[in-house]
Amino acid sequence: MRTLKFLLQKEFKQIFRNKALLPLIFVVPIVQLLILPLAADYEVKNINISIVDHDHSAFSRHLISKITASGYFRLADYSPSFNTAFKQIEQDQSDLILEIPQGFEKNLVRENEQKLFIAVNAINGVKAGLGGAYLNQIITAYNADIRLQWFQPDKFNTAPVITVASSNWFNPFMNYRFFMVPGILVILVTMVGSYMCALNIVKEKEVGTIEQINVTPIKKYQFILGKLIPFWAIGMFVFSVGLFVVARLVYGIVPVGNLFLLYGYLSIYLVALLGLGLLISTFAETQQQAMSVAFFFIMIFMLMSGLFTSLDGMPQWAYFIAKCIPVTYFIEVVRMIILKGSGFADIKYHFVIMIGFAALLNGLAIWNYKKTS
Amino acid sequence: MKDVVLNNIVKTYNKGKVKAVNDVSFTVNKGELFGLIGPDGAGKTSIFRILTTLLLPDSGTASVKGFDVIKDYKNIRSSVGYMPGKFSLYQDLTVEENLNFFASVFNTTIQDNYDLIKDIYVQIEPFKDRRAGKLSGGMKQKLALCCALIHRPTVLFLDEPTTGVDTVSRKEFWEMLKSLKQQGITILVSTPYMDEATLCERIALMQNGEIMSIDTPKNIINQFPENLFAIKANDMGKLLQDLRKNHEIKTCNAFGEFHHITINSGEPIIENRKFKISNIEKMLIESGHKELVIKEITPTIEDCFIRLMDQSIDNG
């Protein structure tokens, strides 16, 4: 116990003296939490649209003003012909072309029917898909408007109509930040836990201090605990700062669920992650190697853990990989507890799985650590 | 009593491709200052790492203070001090913190063993609040020695403690070792510098993972079987070439200011050698060498080392 105390003392002294590492641990996560959610915005705004209006009627002008007033579109160009509009797409000046045919108003009034043409630049799939969908919605709404103006609704409905009323639970305004911020918080804790821990141990190898430690009566478990405990504490600290300072004050996210449950899960999650860091450090000889390996894992964690994309939309094999990543479970749990207020019964399987990860990763790390020395 | 015993230790790297230590056996007596002398890659560090339980030998047995390096490694770790060749203390901790840390992991304090390190520590004490990484090379070595001594080890392993240290600090360092020996600590030290060999009580000359000779430095020098001459002239480069071409000369090596030569003497008659030397001198003068100086000298450890090395090359 006494030895462990001295090891911890030494470790904290070193961490707080490291002028490069300290801001990396404490400032960078907060800055990232402030910047990343803004970038990870699913709403597409400022879609450039080129309109080719062959009609120049009151109806077509009404439609155009509706489109530009929606806030999603920016009128890039008002072209006389489809070909000139297409040039705009070729030059990447616009993303969408809406072509209004000649006699749009006349035919609409006379024949009750008219067709519009939309061409989409599909290089950026998300932008194209969403842009097309938005435009369709606007046109549909416009269509309904016209109907309302022309036909007086019958006193009694002649045909049965199903009206759908939807309500958004847990995130009523569909604020994507509520969804993203907890997830990004998880990634940040993950980085601090795995990176820092792995790098710290490998540094001892690289500098050679581990040799000096190995000839002392310090036991292996003491050395490992001396490394894990500081980073476990730092992980807790970073998460708390992110949750109570950034998420609450900046994004107004107040956890609905039980905080003890959240921290209970976090503490197990950190043990699992530190196990991963430890495992990396047993393989790597230099900090560069450790960094590269850790980076590889972090990339996969970031992109496959369901942070940005829904797990259900993944192909079977990718879904399987995602399920093998501890981060996936923590992101799920964080969102469930913070946004939905889930209780222990809802996440008990998550607990079991995370304890399994913690045991597996730490077990592997210790086994490999023993093998090498 | 033998404090360190090695029996037929073999250590290979890269799955047996590189033989670092090849069937090495030797013993170090209690309270002895024993030197492992050899160039880089001779296997010195591997032997140290095996003895300090950092490395497992492929075969053979070794013990320190009667404890087996494999079975009783825990006992060895608490009773030996090890100073690796590379500075391996925490560079971001201060001098005092490093010392405190290593004292506390051995369950002792600086005060308890201050008498042992006092002579060395007073030299670095003015810098005790400085980070270890910011110390000069010589200071680092002194701190490392203090840290290795802080738990009052009975056997001290020093792996190339004077490599990369200036001449004055090297001299001081050996003085410190002598005073530690007075305290009854067994010291095993390695060095690539042949001139330091005479400062040890007994030495083992190592080359390519094998021990060529073990004895006191004096005996090793006495065992040098031939007369050695030092020779100097105005053009040393040409002299070396001419000497190596000469059939009377057995070996010729450049040694700083002089070349050291041994001669092919059929009979060990002193008159005969003198005659040959004067012959050589005459020949050299004829081939245009000026300011020629030839004198008989007692061999150094380096001469002995080179001779043993040549022998092993001839045999192998």
Short mmCIF file of all heavy atoms in Angstrom, two decimals, chain B residues 37-39 194 203-208 210-217 219-226 250-251 253 255 262 299-316:
data_model
loop_
_atom_site.label_atom_id
_atom_site.label_comp_id
_atom_site.label_asym_id
_atom_site.label_seq_id
_atom_site.Cartn_x
_atom_site.Cartn_y
_atom_site.Cartn_z
N ILE B 37 35.58 -6.26 -18.97
CA ILE B 37 36.18 -5.36 -19.93
C ILE B 37 35.95 -5.91 -21.33
O ILE B 37 36.21 -7.08 -21.58
CB ILE B 37 37.71 -5.23 -19.71
CG1 ILE B 37 38.04 -5.16 -18.22
CG2 ILE B 37 38.28 -4.07 -20.49
CD1 ILE B 37 37.69 -3.88 -17.54
N GLY B 38 35.47 -5.07 -22.21
CA GLY B 38 35.26 -5.54 -23.58
C GLY B 38 34.65 -4.45 -24.42
O GLY B 38 34.04 -3.52 -23.89
N PRO B 39 34.79 -4.56 -25.72
CA PRO B 39 34.23 -3.53 -26.60
C PRO B 39 32.70 -3.61 -26.63
O PRO B 39 32.12 -4.52 -26.06
CB PRO B 39 34.82 -3.87 -27.96
CG PRO B 39 35.09 -5.32 -27.90
CD PRO B 39 35.45 -5.63 -26.47
N MET B 194 39.90 0.29 -21.69
CA MET B 194 40.92 -0.64 -21.19
C MET B 194 41.74 -0.01 -20.06
O MET B 194 42.22 -0.70 -19.18
CB MET B 194 41.86 -1.04 -22.32
CG MET B 194 41.17 -1.62 -23.52
SD MET B 194 40.60 -3.28 -23.23
CE MET B 194 39.50 -3.49 -24.60
N ILE B 203 39.66 -8.79 -13.39
CA ILE B 203 38.92 -8.42 -14.59
C ILE B 203 38.66 -9.65 -15.45
O ILE B 203 39.39 -10.65 -15.36
CB ILE B 203 39.67 -7.37 -15.44
CG1 ILE B 203 41.08 -7.84 -15.76
CG2 ILE B 203 39.67 -6.03 -14.77
CD1 ILE B 203 41.81 -6.96 -16.75
N ALA B 204 37.61 -9.54 -16.25
CA ALA B 204 37.34 -10.56 -17.26
C ALA B 204 37.38 -9.83 -18.60
O ALA B 204 36.67 -8.84 -18.78
CB ALA B 204 35.98 -11.20 -17.03
N LEU B 205 38.23 -10.29 -19.50
CA LEU B 205 38.28 -9.67 -20.82
C LEU B 205 37.28 -10.41 -21.71
O LEU B 205 37.35 -11.62 -21.85
CB LEU B 205 39.69 -9.79 -21.41
CG LEU B 205 40.77 -9.03 -20.65
CD1 LEU B 205 42.12 -9.20 -21.34
CD2 LEU B 205 40.44 -7.55 -20.55
N MET B 206 36.36 -9.64 -22.27
CA MET B 206 35.28 -10.26 -23.06
C MET B 206 35.33 -9.83 -24.50
O MET B 206 35.71 -8.70 -24.82
CB MET B 206 33.92 -9.86 -22.50
CG MET B 206 33.56 -10.55 -21.22
SD MET B 206 31.81 -10.34 -20.93
CE MET B 206 31.12 -11.46 -22.14
N GLN B 207 34.95 -10.75 -25.36
CA GLN B 207 34.88 -10.45 -26.79
C GLN B 207 33.87 -11.39 -27.41
O GLN B 207 33.91 -12.59 -27.18
CB GLN B 207 36.29 -10.65 -27.39
CG GLN B 207 36.34 -10.75 -28.89
CD GLN B 207 36.25 -9.38 -29.55
OE1 GLN B 207 36.26 -8.35 -28.86
NE2 GLN B 207 36.16 -9.36 -30.85
N ASN B 208 32.94 -10.85 -28.19
CA ASN B 208 31.93 -11.65 -28.88
C ASN B 208 31.20 -12.64 -27.97
O ASN B 208 31.00 -13.80 -28.33
CB ASN B 208 32.55 -12.42 -30.05
CG ASN B 208 33.02 -11.48 -31.12
OD1 ASN B 208 32.45 -10.40 -31.28
ND2 ASN B 208 34.07 -11.85 -31.82
N GLU B 210 32.18 -14.09 -25.34
CA GLU B 210 32.99 -15.08 -24.64
C GLU B 210 34.04 -14.40 -23.78
O GLU B 210 34.50 -13.30 -24.10
CB GLU B 210 33.68 -16.00 -25.65
CG GLU B 210 32.70 -16.92 -26.33
CD GLU B 210 33.37 -17.79 -27.38
OE1 GLU B 210 34.49 -18.29 -27.11
OE2 GLU B 210 32.78 -17.95 -28.45
N ILE B 211 34.41 -15.09 -22.71
CA ILE B 211 35.46 -14.55 -21.86
C ILE B 211 36.79 -15.09 -22.34
O ILE B 211 36.98 -16.30 -22.48
CB ILE B 211 35.19 -14.90 -20.39
CG1 ILE B 211 33.98 -14.10 -19.90
CG2 ILE B 211 36.41 -14.60 -19.54
CD1 ILE B 211 33.66 -14.28 -18.47
N MET B 212 37.72 -14.19 -22.62
CA MET B 212 39.03 -14.62 -23.13
C MET B 212 39.99 -14.90 -22.00
O MET B 212 40.85 -15.76 -22.09
CB MET B 212 39.59 -13.56 -24.07
CG MET B 212 38.69 -13.30 -25.26
SD MET B 212 39.41 -12.22 -26.49
CE MET B 212 39.52 -10.72 -25.58
N SER B 213 39.84 -14.13 -20.91
CA SER B 213 40.78 -14.31 -19.82
C SER B 213 40.19 -13.69 -18.55
O SER B 213 39.56 -12.65 -18.60
CB SER B 213 42.11 -13.63 -20.18
OG SER B 213 42.97 -13.65 -19.08
N ILE B 214 40.39 -14.38 -17.42
CA ILE B 214 39.97 -13.80 -16.14
C ILE B 214 41.15 -13.86 -15.18
O ILE B 214 41.73 -14.92 -14.98
CB ILE B 214 38.82 -14.58 -15.49
CG1 ILE B 214 37.64 -14.70 -16.43
CG2 ILE B 214 38.38 -13.91 -14.20
CD1 ILE B 214 36.48 -15.46 -15.84
N ASP B 215 41.51 -12.73 -14.63
CA ASP B 215 42.61 -12.71 -13.66
C ASP B 215 42.73 -11.31 -13.09
O ASP B 215 41.95 -10.42 -13.45
CB ASP B 215 43.94 -13.11 -14.34
CG ASP B 215 44.79 -13.92 -13.37
OD1 ASP B 215 44.73 -13.63 -12.15
OD2 ASP B 215 45.50 -14.83 -13.83
N THR B 216 43.72 -11.12 -12.24
CA THR B 216 43.98 -9.75 -11.80
C THR B 216 44.65 -9.03 -12.96
O THR B 216 45.32 -9.67 -13.78
CB THR B 216 44.91 -9.74 -10.58
OG1 THR B 216 46.14 -10.35 -10.98
CG2 THR B 216 44.33 -10.50 -9.42
N PRO B 217 44.50 -7.75 -13.04
CA PRO B 217 45.13 -7.02 -14.15
C PRO B 217 46.63 -7.28 -14.21
O PRO B 217 47.20 -7.43 -15.29
CB PRO B 217 44.83 -5.55 -13.82
CG PRO B 217 43.64 -5.57 -12.96
CD PRO B 217 43.68 -6.86 -12.19
N ASN B 219 48.34 -9.97 -13.26
CA ASN B 219 48.64 -11.29 -13.80
C ASN B 219 48.42 -11.33 -15.30
O ASN B 219 49.17 -11.98 -16.03
CB ASN B 219 47.77 -12.35 -13.13
CG ASN B 219 48.33 -12.73 -11.79
OD1 ASN B 219 49.48 -12.41 -11.49
ND2 ASN B 219 47.53 -13.38 -10.97
N ILE B 220 47.36 -10.67 -15.73
CA ILE B 220 47.09 -10.67 -17.17
C ILE B 220 48.24 -10.02 -17.91
O ILE B 220 48.72 -10.52 -18.94
CB ILE B 220 45.76 -9.95 -17.47
CG1 ILE B 220 44.61 -10.86 -17.05
CG2 ILE B 220 45.64 -9.58 -18.93
CD1 ILE B 220 43.23 -10.35 -17.35
N ILE B 221 48.77 -8.94 -17.34
CA ILE B 221 49.90 -8.27 -17.98
C ILE B 221 51.16 -9.15 -17.92
O ILE B 221 51.88 -9.30 -18.90
CB ILE B 221 50.15 -6.90 -17.31
CG1 ILE B 221 49.01 -5.94 -17.70
CG2 ILE B 221 51.50 -6.33 -17.71
CD1 ILE B 221 48.99 -4.66 -16.93
N ASN B 222 51.33 -9.82 -16.78
CA ASN B 222 52.51 -10.69 -16.65
C ASN B 222 52.46 -11.87 -17.60
O ASN B 222 53.49 -12.40 -17.99
CB ASN B 222 52.61 -11.22 -15.20
CG ASN B 222 53.06 -10.11 -14.27
OD1 ASN B 222 53.58 -9.09 -14.72
ND2 ASN B 222 52.83 -10.30 -12.98
N GLN B 223 51.22 -12.26 -17.94
CA GLN B 223 51.09 -13.42 -18.83
C GLN B 223 51.41 -13.06 -20.27
O GLN B 223 51.48 -13.94 -21.12
CB GLN B 223 49.67 -13.97 -18.76
CG GLN B 223 49.43 -14.87 -17.56
CD GLN B 223 47.95 -15.04 -17.30
OE1 GLN B 223 47.12 -14.74 -18.15
NE2 GLN B 223 47.63 -15.51 -16.11
N PHE B 224 51.61 -11.81 -20.54
CA PHE B 224 51.95 -11.40 -21.90
C PHE B 224 53.29 -12.04 -22.26
O PHE B 224 54.30 -11.76 -21.63
CB PHE B 224 52.04 -9.87 -21.97
CG PHE B 224 51.95 -9.33 -23.37
CD1 PHE B 224 50.73 -9.16 -23.99
CD2 PHE B 224 53.11 -9.00 -24.06
CE1 PHE B 224 50.65 -8.66 -25.28
CE2 PHE B 224 53.04 -8.51 -25.36
CZ PHE B 224 51.80 -8.33 -25.97
N PRO B 225 53.31 -12.92 -23.24
CA PRO B 225 54.46 -13.81 -23.40
C PRO B 225 55.65 -13.19 -24.13
O PRO B 225 56.71 -13.81 -24.17
CB PRO B 225 53.88 -14.97 -24.19
CG PRO B 225 52.78 -14.35 -24.99
CD PRO B 225 52.27 -13.19 -24.22
N GLU B 226 55.48 -12.03 -24.68
CA GLU B 226 56.57 -11.51 -25.50
C GLU B 226 57.06 -10.17 -25.01
O GLU B 226 56.43 -9.54 -24.17
CB GLU B 226 56.09 -11.38 -26.95
CG GLU B 226 56.10 -12.70 -27.67
CD GLU B 226 55.00 -12.75 -28.72
OE1 GLU B 226 53.82 -12.74 -28.34
OE2 GLU B 226 55.34 -12.80 -29.88
N LYS B 250 56.12 -9.36 -35.70
CA LYS B 250 55.00 -10.28 -35.55
C LYS B 250 53.67 -9.52 -35.54
O LYS B 250 52.76 -9.81 -36.30
CB LYS B 250 55.15 -11.05 -34.23
CG LYS B 250 54.28 -12.27 -34.12
CD LYS B 250 54.66 -13.02 -32.86
CE LYS B 250 53.68 -14.14 -32.56
NZ LYS B 250 53.93 -14.65 -31.20
N THR B 251 53.57 -8.54 -34.64
CA THR B 251 52.36 -7.73 -34.61
C THR B 251 52.75 -6.26 -34.55
O THR B 251 53.82 -5.92 -34.05
CB THR B 251 51.49 -8.03 -33.37
OG1 THR B 251 52.25 -7.68 -32.21
CG2 THR B 251 51.07 -9.46 -33.31
N ASN B 253 50.61 -2.54 -33.82
CA ASN B 253 49.34 -1.83 -33.65
C ASN B 253 49.60 -0.37 -33.30
O ASN B 253 50.54 -0.05 -32.58
CB ASN B 253 48.53 -2.48 -32.53
CG ASN B 253 48.09 -3.87 -32.91
OD1 ASN B 253 47.34 -4.09 -33.86
ND2 ASN B 253 48.61 -4.86 -32.19
N PHE B 255 49.11 2.86 -31.28
CA PHE B 255 48.69 3.17 -29.91
C PHE B 255 48.95 4.64 -29.63
O PHE B 255 49.91 4.98 -28.97
CB PHE B 255 49.50 2.34 -28.90
CG PHE B 255 48.80 1.08 -28.48
CD1 PHE B 255 48.85 -0.04 -29.28
CD2 PHE B 255 48.10 1.05 -27.30
CE1 PHE B 255 48.22 -1.19 -28.90
CE2 PHE B 255 47.46 -0.11 -26.91
CZ PHE B 255 47.52 -1.24 -27.71
N THR B 262 55.59 -6.39 -31.59
CA THR B 262 56.29 -7.56 -31.06
C THR B 262 57.02 -8.16 -32.25
O THR B 262 56.63 -7.95 -33.40
CB THR B 262 55.31 -8.60 -30.48
OG1 THR B 262 54.37 -8.93 -31.50
CG2 THR B 262 54.59 -8.05 -29.27
N PRO B 299 53.61 -4.22 -21.23
CA PRO B 299 52.35 -4.14 -21.95
C PRO B 299 51.21 -3.56 -21.09
O PRO B 299 51.25 -3.65 -19.85
CB PRO B 299 52.06 -5.58 -22.33
CG PRO B 299 52.92 -6.41 -21.49
CD PRO B 299 54.08 -5.59 -21.04
N THR B 300 50.24 -2.98 -21.75
CA THR B 300 49.03 -2.53 -21.06
C THR B 300 47.95 -3.59 -21.25
O THR B 300 48.13 -4.53 -22.03
CB THR B 300 48.51 -1.21 -21.65
OG1 THR B 300 48.16 -1.46 -23.02
CG2 THR B 300 49.54 -0.12 -21.58
N ILE B 301 46.82 -3.38 -20.56
CA ILE B 301 45.70 -4.33 -20.73
C ILE B 301 45.25 -4.35 -22.18
O ILE B 301 44.88 -5.38 -22.71
CB ILE B 301 44.53 -3.91 -19.82
CG1 ILE B 301 44.89 -4.09 -18.35
CG2 ILE B 301 43.26 -4.70 -20.13
CD1 ILE B 301 45.02 -5.52 -17.90
N GLU B 302 45.32 -3.21 -22.82
CA GLU B 302 44.88 -3.14 -24.20
C GLU B 302 45.74 -4.03 -25.10
O GLU B 302 45.22 -4.71 -25.99
CB GLU B 302 44.93 -1.69 -24.68
CG GLU B 302 44.15 -1.48 -25.96
CD GLU B 302 43.93 -0.01 -26.27
OE1 GLU B 302 44.22 0.82 -25.39
OE2 GLU B 302 43.49 0.30 -27.37
N ASP B 303 47.05 -4.03 -24.84
CA ASP B 303 47.94 -4.92 -25.61
C ASP B 303 47.53 -6.36 -25.41
O ASP B 303 47.47 -7.14 -26.36
CB ASP B 303 49.39 -4.72 -25.15
CG ASP B 303 49.93 -3.36 -25.54
OD1 ASP B 303 49.88 -3.04 -26.73
OD2 ASP B 303 50.39 -2.64 -24.64
N CYS B 304 47.26 -6.69 -24.13
CA CYS B 304 46.86 -8.07 -23.83
C CYS B 304 45.56 -8.41 -24.53
O CYS B 304 45.40 -9.50 -25.07
CB CYS B 304 46.67 -8.25 -22.32
SG CYS B 304 48.11 -7.84 -21.37
N PHE B 305 44.63 -7.44 -24.52
CA PHE B 305 43.33 -7.66 -25.12
C PHE B 305 43.47 -7.92 -26.62
O PHE B 305 42.91 -8.87 -27.17
CB PHE B 305 42.43 -6.45 -24.89
CG PHE B 305 41.01 -6.69 -25.29
CD1 PHE B 305 40.11 -7.23 -24.40
CD2 PHE B 305 40.58 -6.42 -26.59
CE1 PHE B 305 38.80 -7.48 -24.77
CE2 PHE B 305 39.28 -6.67 -26.97
CZ PHE B 305 38.40 -7.20 -26.05
N ILE B 306 44.29 -7.10 -27.27
CA ILE B 306 44.45 -7.24 -28.72
C ILE B 306 45.11 -8.58 -29.05
O ILE B 306 44.72 -9.28 -29.98
CB ILE B 306 45.26 -6.06 -29.29
CG1 ILE B 306 44.40 -4.79 -29.23
CG2 ILE B 306 45.71 -6.33 -30.71
CD1 ILE B 306 45.13 -3.53 -29.56
N ARG B 307 46.09 -8.96 -28.22
CA ARG B 307 46.76 -10.23 -28.47
C ARG B 307 45.76 -11.39 -28.34
O ARG B 307 45.70 -12.29 -29.18
CB ARG B 307 47.91 -10.43 -27.48
CG ARG B 307 48.93 -11.47 -27.92
CD ARG B 307 49.95 -11.69 -26.84
NE ARG B 307 49.38 -12.40 -25.70
CZ ARG B 307 49.25 -13.71 -25.64
NH1 ARG B 307 49.67 -14.46 -26.63
NH2 ARG B 307 48.69 -14.29 -24.60
N LEU B 308 44.94 -11.35 -27.26
CA LEU B 308 43.95 -12.41 -27.05
C LEU B 308 42.93 -12.43 -28.17
O LEU B 308 42.48 -13.48 -28.62
CB LEU B 308 43.24 -12.20 -25.71
CG LEU B 308 44.09 -12.46 -24.47
CD1 LEU B 308 43.42 -11.87 -23.24
CD2 LEU B 308 44.33 -13.94 -24.30
N MET B 309 42.59 -11.25 -28.63
CA MET B 309 41.60 -11.14 -29.70
C MET B 309 42.15 -11.75 -30.99
O MET B 309 41.47 -12.53 -31.66
CB MET B 309 41.27 -9.67 -29.91
CG MET B 309 39.94 -9.40 -30.52
SD MET B 309 39.57 -7.65 -30.44
CE MET B 309 40.66 -6.99 -31.66
N ASP B 310 43.42 -11.40 -31.31
CA ASP B 310 44.04 -11.96 -32.52
C ASP B 310 44.12 -13.47 -32.42
O ASP B 310 43.88 -14.18 -33.39
CB ASP B 310 45.45 -11.37 -32.69
CG ASP B 310 45.39 -9.91 -33.09
OD1 ASP B 310 44.31 -9.47 -33.53
OD2 ASP B 310 46.41 -9.21 -32.94
N GLN B 311 44.46 -13.93 -31.21
CA GLN B 311 44.57 -15.37 -30.99
C GLN B 311 43.25 -16.06 -31.28
O GLN B 311 43.20 -17.06 -31.99
CB GLN B 311 44.93 -15.63 -29.53
CG GLN B 311 46.36 -16.07 -29.35
CD GLN B 311 46.66 -16.27 -27.87
OE1 GLN B 311 45.76 -16.29 -27.04
NE2 GLN B 311 47.93 -16.39 -27.57
N SER B 312 42.17 -15.49 -30.75
CA SER B 312 40.88 -16.15 -30.93
C SER B 312 40.46 -16.10 -32.39
O SER B 312 39.76 -16.98 -32.88
CB SER B 312 39.82 -15.53 -30.02
OG SER B 312 39.51 -14.24 -30.47
N ILE B 313 40.89 -15.06 -33.11
CA ILE B 313 40.58 -14.99 -34.55
C ILE B 313 41.36 -16.09 -35.28
O ILE B 313 40.82 -16.83 -36.10
CB ILE B 313 40.91 -13.61 -35.14
CG1 ILE B 313 39.90 -12.58 -34.62
CG2 ILE B 313 40.89 -13.63 -36.67
CD1 ILE B 313 40.25 -11.16 -34.92
N ASP B 314 42.66 -16.25 -34.90
CA ASP B 314 43.49 -17.29 -35.53
C ASP B 314 42.91 -18.67 -35.26
O ASP B 314 42.86 -19.53 -36.13
CB ASP B 314 44.92 -17.21 -34.99
CG ASP B 314 45.63 -15.97 -35.49
OD1 ASP B 314 45.11 -15.36 -36.45
OD2 ASP B 314 46.66 -15.59 -34.93
N ASN B 315 42.46 -18.86 -34.01
CA ASN B 315 41.91 -20.17 -33.64
C ASN B 315 40.58 -20.43 -34.32
O ASN B 315 40.28 -21.53 -34.74
CB ASN B 315 41.71 -20.27 -32.12
CG ASN B 315 43.03 -20.24 -31.41
OD1 ASN B 315 44.08 -20.46 -32.02
ND2 ASN B 315 43.00 -19.94 -30.12
N GLY B 316 39.78 -19.39 -34.37
CA GLY B 316 38.45 -19.57 -34.96
C GLY B 316 38.61 -19.50 -36.44
O GLY B 316 37.80 -19.70 -37.22
#
